[in-house]
Amino acid sequence: MPQQQAKKPRIELGEGDNESLAPSETENRIESDVVLYSTGKDETLRPKTPEGPVFLEQSVETPGKYYFPSIRKQDTQNARMFLKFHGLRQFLDTYLPEELNSLYVYYLICLLGFEIKDKEMMDVISEHMIPRDASQGGVPQFKQQATSPQRPGFQDPLEKKQAVRLIKDLQKAINKVLATRLRLANFFTLDHFVDKLQSANKILVLTGAGVSTSLGIPDFRSSQGLYSRIKHLGLDDPQDVFNYDIFMQDPSVFYNIAHLVLPPENIYSPLHSFIKLLQDKGKLLRNYTQNIDNLESYAGINPEKLVQCHGSFATASCVTCHWQLPGEKIFEYIRNMELPLCPYCYQKRREYFRMEGDPDNPIGDDVTLNYIPGTVLKSYGVLKPDITFFGEALPSKFHRTIREDIDKCDLLICIGTSLKVAPVSEIVNMVPAHIPQVLINRDPVKHANFDLNLLGLCDDVAALVSQKCNWDIPLQSGDNLRDKKIDFIERETGYYDVIADAGLQKNAELNGANTVDETGNGNSDR
């Protein structure tokens, strides 16, 4: 039986799956637009307070049906801002009337930018909806509580179990909004970034594989990356080549592909030069790198300014006795796809692994004279680069510094990373939400809300930024980043395509591009 009108739902925040909810088209659009929000609660950014609770007008011609206005992007933006700015209790008190039915709960879910995926539920709700678009005056209506009473004896159009389901879905929508960083209102252009670079002095830089690809070092997850190139190995998951347990059982799995990720020595990219310049200007708080190539040290980043979150090839250690040596000492073994062995564990290893017909070559293959499976790991006495495998703890330096740095930083720049691997990927959520966040990457990162997205090759973006800042960044080759021709196109608010090809200049201008000439001066048609 239909239920009587209910009071405002009491919602407690907590974990919950999001299987019944999906981002609406409104939410997807919002990700590409500026949201007026500041966790600092700047009064100039305070969201608008509606005149009263949401009011859904009942149809006179069709009893039991309600007019559902279309929801504009700015309505969802303001509702989300209001929730994050004022908190859950005031949000519900402001947006919901004292007397309501379950359709109000559904409308609030939509207002926050979500939609119900359950087709059966939507069929029931649709029976009681009369959509209105903006041309029919279909914008959300907010009326004073005293002017929006329901008809006496009106009953909820949904069954109790459906109403309860909607309340749970509203809770999930609220949890997601509260857990999501909203983009800043006053930081979304290239000029904003340049101004902040000039004034900031505690910049947190988070780097990934994209900063090294220009040197021929493959990334991991792209269509041409390492994981795509090693599918032929037949592993259940390509990431298993970096699985610590698998390495301990059979280190040859890693050493069969290690030469593909072995870094070049004593070279670094233009992007590394850009980070070094931030250090030289006293602006770099810390560079947290997910890369294992150790190129930051070649570029001159000071050890105290560098956190190699996943370790590096700089050193190697014996997995048995933990003797450590410089990483380059095992590079020749890696290039030859051989197991590097610890000299202190070598003799003992020979007792376990002795190749038939070649007793002096204890490489640890399956065919051995003395090896009994299960008695000792095949990694006994093997030297392993000090890179952090899946299943290993991150270096203690990461945990020691990140807690202090997230509170100190005044700008976060993420470069060349898809932010797929935790806990490093969580840094963007750890930094206070009022700190500007910039992404420099070939592709957008859809699961994070960066204030500014500079999309292109990392070295090209570094050249663009150096020109706009009027900074000289000498390269290892002897060239200067300021001498590189760069075009950039503002795709939409907060998103720029960066193009390093003077031949594209004309097309870029025809498409509304901003062109930076070799002197660094911008010719803008904005």
Side-chain angles (χ1 to χ4, degrees):
M1 289 290 293
Q3 303 298 313
Q4 297 290 337
Q5 286 177 293
K7 298 289 186 180
K8 289 183 182 179
R10 181 174 181 269
I11 295 178
E12 296 180 356
L13 298 182
E15 293 293 332
D17 67 89
N18 290 317
E19 293 181 357
S20 59
L21 283 177
S24 68
E25 292 183 3
T26 303
E27 185 191 25
N28 290 332
R29 290 196 306 269
I30 287 173
E31 290 180 357
S32 300
D33 288 280
V34 177
V35 177
L36 301 177
Y37 172 70
S38 169
T39 53
K41 294 198 174 181
D42 186 338
E43 292 301 312
T44 63
L45 302 179
R46 178 184 289 272
K48 294 180 181 179
T49 300
E51 297 177 0
V54 171
F55 176 67
L56 301 180
E57 182 182 356
Q58 296 185 48
S59 170
V60 176
E61 296 81 9
T62 312
K65 289 204 171 187
Y66 288 74
Y67 290 106
F68 265 57
S70 62
I71 297 174
R72 301 167 301 179
K73 181 170 54 180
Q74 58 264 39
D75 301 321
T76 297
Q77 289 176 345
N78 195 73
R80 288 182 163 202
M81 290 190 315
F82 195 97
L83 173 59
K84 292 186 73 88
F85 194 96
H86 294 291
L88 175 60
R89 181 181 295 275
Q90 189 169 343
F91 172 76
L92 293 177
D93 287 343
T94 301
Y95 276 85
L96 290 179
E98 287 297 328
E99 302 291 336
L100 73 159
N101 60 52
S102 53
L103 296 181
Y104 278 81
V105 178
Y106 169 69
Y107 189 79
L108 205 57
I109 293 172
C110 297
L111 187 62
L112 287 173
F114 298 88
E115 59 187 23
I116 304 297
K117 294 193 292 186
D118 189 324
K119 184 179 183 301
E120 183 178 344
M121 172 76 82
M122 284 306 305
D123 289 342
V124 174
I125 292 174
S126 298
E127 293 176 1
H128 304 279
M129 292 171 49
I130 303 177
R132 272 182 174 171
D133 59 33
S135 64
Q136 299 171 311
V139 296
Q141 299 184 49
F142 302 94
K143 295 191 175 183
Q144 295 295 333
Q145 185 68 45
T147 66
S148 58
Q150 301 290 346
R151 296 176 183 176
F154 175 79
Q155 294 182 324
D156 196 308
L158 302 186
E159 297 288 341
K160 181 178 180 179
K161 64 179 181 180
Q162 296 166 334
V164 170
R165 176 68 178 274
L166 282 177
I167 291 175
K168 290 182 178 180
D169 285 341
L170 176 59
Q171 175 181 340
K172 294 171 188 175
I174 289 172
N175 284 342
K176 185 167 184 179
V177 171
L178 290 176
T180 301
R181 176 189 183 270
L182 301 184
R183 296 170 61 192
L184 302 178
N186 56 353
F187 194 100
F188 53 90
T189 70
L190 187 57
D191 288 339
H192 289 151
F193 183 33
V194 170
D195 291 343
K196 189 64 177 178
L197 282 173
Q198 302 286 5
S199 63
N201 55 22
K202 289 182 172 58
I203 300 175
L204 203 59
V205 178
L206 173 58
T207 51
V211 304
S212 302
T213 53
S214 64
L215 301 175
I217 301 174
D219 63 14
F220 291 89
R221 301 177 187 277
S222 72
S223 59
Q224 302 298 320
L226 175 69
Y227 294 150
S228 295
R229 295 169 61 180
I230 62 175
K231 287 182 178 179
H232 66 280
L233 295 179
L235 299 171
D236 293 336
D237 184 344
Q239 293 182 137
D240 284 346
V241 295
F242 296 107
N243 183 292
Y244 181 73
D245 291 335
I246 291 177
F247 182 93
M248 295 301 290
Q249 294 292 334
D250 186 2
S252 65
V253 173
F254 168 74
Y255 278 109
N256 279 334
I257 63 90
H259 64 284
L260 298 175
V261 294
L262 187 66
E265 297 181 67
N266 300 313
I267 66 171
Y268 49 90
S269 71
L271 194 284
H272 291 108
S273 298
F274 173 74
I275 299 174
K276 172 64 160 53
L277 181 68
L278 294 179
Q279 173 185 275
D280 294 344
K281 289 182 172 293
K283 295 179 176 294
L284 181 65
L285 174 60
R286 205 92 59 191
N287 176 196
Y288 287 81
T289 179
Q290 300 172 89
N291 297 337
I292 57 177
D293 50 34
N294 197 39
L295 301 190
E296 296 83 7
S297 63
Y298 297 147
I301 307 299
N302 295 332
E304 64 271 17
K305 293 290 184 179
L306 178 65
V307 177
Q308 295 172 317
C309 305
H310 297 159
S312 78
F313 277 97
T315 58
S317 300
C318 174
V319 299
T320 304
C321 72
H322 308 296
W323 175 68
Q324 190 176 72
L325 73 163
E328 59 264 24
K329 297 292 185 180
I330 69 169
F331 282 4
E332 194 62 32
Y333 292 93
I334 293 176
R335 294 187 184 100
N336 295 331
M337 301 172 63
E338 299 175 354
L339 292 184
L341 301 176
C342 172
Y344 299 103
C345 299
Y346 180 81
Q347 292 301 326
K348 188 69 175 177
R349 181 180 173 84
R350 288 188 62 184
E351 298 177 13
Y352 294 118
F353 304 99
R354 181 171 297 168
M355 192 68 179
E356 188 170 11
D358 188 7
D360 293 326
N361 184 20
I363 66 172
D365 279 359
D366 287 336
V367 183
T368 59
L369 290 176
N370 297 341
Y371 175 63
I372 301 176
T375 57
V376 66
L377 295 175
K378 288 187 177 182
S379 58
Y380 187 96
V382 173
L383 297 171
K384 171 184 169 293
D386 290 331
I387 59 181
T388 305
F389 278 43
F390 293 107
E392 286 187 287
L394 266 63
S396 59
K397 184 178 181 180
F398 171 84
H399 300 287
R400 186 172 65 251
T401 60
I402 191 61
R403 294 177 184 142
E404 298 178 0
D405 290 349
I406 58 175
D407 291 329
K408 291 180 180 178
C409 79
D410 51 15
L411 175 63
L412 173 66
I413 310 176
C414 294
I415 312 175
T417 174
S418 59
L419 294 176
K420 293 283 183 67
V421 180
V424 178
S425 61
E426 293 302 316
I427 291 178
V428 296
N429 297 321
M430 298 165 65
V431 171
H434 67 279
I435 300 299
Q437 297 190 9
V438 177
L439 174 70
I440 297 175
N441 202 41
R442 187 177 61 183
D443 302 303
V445 177
K446 295 182 179 180
H447 59 276
N449 278 337
F450 289 96
D451 302 301
L452 179 63
N453 299 263
L454 302 177
L455 305 179
L457 299 179
C458 296
D459 293 345
D460 297 342
V461 177
L464 171 64
V465 173
S466 67
Q467 292 169 16
K468 295 286 283 185
C469 291
N470 200 29
W471 288 347
D472 284 318
I473 304 182
L475 303 180
Q476 196 174 24
S477 63
D479 298 326
N480 195 297
L481 276 183
R482 290 187 61 190
D483 299 329
K484 193 172 185 178
K485 189 72 175 181
I486 300 292
D487 295 327
F488 65 97
I489 305 170
E490 186 173 9
R491 179 195 299 181
E492 55 185 292
T493 303
Y495 286 80
Y496 289 80
D497 289 327
V498 178
I499 310 161
D501 188 343
L504 295 177
Q505 179 176 353
K506 185 174 182 180
N507 289 335
E509 291 173 345
L510 291 175
N511 287 284
N514 298 290
T515 303
V516 176
D517 61 24
E518 294 181 1
T519 63
N521 298 318
N523 301 314
S524 175
D525 60 359
R526 285 179 294 169

